[in-house]
């Protein structure tokens, strides 16, 4: 009976080694297949040093002429009807992904004021777009 147990233990250890080695082989093969940096590594690099993000930010003068960055002519004309503060709020909300509180702290308004300005600006764009 003890020899059966010994054989059984030996078999289990052998199978554990086989499965471990197979897992390692699959992992190594996968590493050879992947030639790009995994998304997680890219995100970690961006968190540590988000250097390229500042390349795409618009200055206040560029935001004042936001319509020049829009390819759709009707939409560009509709956005041109907005005031510069309205364009700034829309740009910061949709492009910079700031919430109303953060935008309000930048421009010196309350979050409710920012929300109201954003909603009114969107309505103005919608009306101007529909009337063209």
């Amino acid at each position: 009976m003890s020899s059966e147990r010994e054989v059984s233990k030996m078999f289990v250890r052998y199978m554990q080694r086989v499965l471990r080695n197979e897992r390692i082989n699959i992992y190594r093969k996968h590493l050879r297949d992947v030639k790009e940096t995994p998304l997680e590594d890219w995100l970690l690099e961006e968190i540590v040093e988000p250097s390229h993000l500042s390349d795409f930010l618009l200055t206040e003068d560029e935001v004042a002429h936001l319509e020049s960055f829009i390819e759709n002519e009707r939409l560009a004309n509709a956005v041109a009807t907005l005031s510069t503060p309205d364009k700034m709020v829309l740009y910061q909300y949709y492009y910079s992904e700031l919430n109303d509180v953060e935008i309000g702290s930048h421009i010196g308004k309350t979050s409710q004021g920012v929300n109201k300005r954003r909603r009114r600006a969107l309505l103005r764009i919608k009306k101007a777009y529909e009337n063209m």
Side-chain angles (χ1 to χ4, degrees):
M1 188 104 163
S2 69
S3 67
E4 265 184 56
R5 281 188 175 173
E6 289 297 317
V7 170
S8 177
K9 285 181 182 180
M10 287 173 49
F11 178 74
V12 167
R13 276 183 278 179
Y14 172 77
M15 289 307 297
Q16 286 173 337
R17 282 190 216 129
V18 167
L19 291 173
R20 179 181 160 270
N21 290 337
E22 187 61 28
R23 188 176 64 227
I24 290 170
N25 289 339
I26 290 171
Y27 175 76
R28 287 180 180 161
K29 182 181 178 211
H30 177 68
L31 283 179
R32 279 185 244 125
D33 292 343
V34 176
K35 295 180 180 162
E36 295 181 10
T37 305
L39 180 61
E40 294 84 14
D41 292 343
W42 181 80
L43 287 174
L44 290 174
E45 289 173 13
E46 288 301 312
I47 290 169
V48 172
E49 189 177 336
S51 58
H52 82 283
L53 295 178
S54 60
D55 297 341
F56 299 108
L57 295 178
L58 297 179
T59 64
E60 287 187 33
D61 293 334
E62 291 172 328
V63 172
H65 302 289
L66 191 60
E67 61 275 2
S68 62
F69 296 96
I70 300 173
E71 292 180 9
N72 184 321
E73 190 175 329
R74 280 181 67 194
L75 182 58
N77 291 334
V79 170
T81 63
L82 297 177
S83 66
T84 301
D86 289 345
K87 292 176 188 177
M88 184 62 77
V89 167
L90 290 177
Y91 173 74
Q92 289 179 340
Y93 187 81
Y94 289 106
Y95 186 80
S96 299
E97 296 180 352
L98 300 177
N99 61 34
D100 292 341
V101 175
E102 294 168 329
I103 296 170
S105 68
H106 286 163
I107 63 173
K109 300 284 184 185
T110 64
S111 62
Q112 293 87 359
V114 170
N115 187 304
K116 193 172 187 178
R117 179 178 290 275
R118 182 172 40 84
R119 286 185 291 119
R120 284 185 179 171
L122 291 174
L123 284 174
R124 287 184 190 126
I125 290 174
K126 183 179 177 182
K127 286 180 184 177
Y129 188 83
E130 289 173 350
N131 291 334
M132 291 182 186

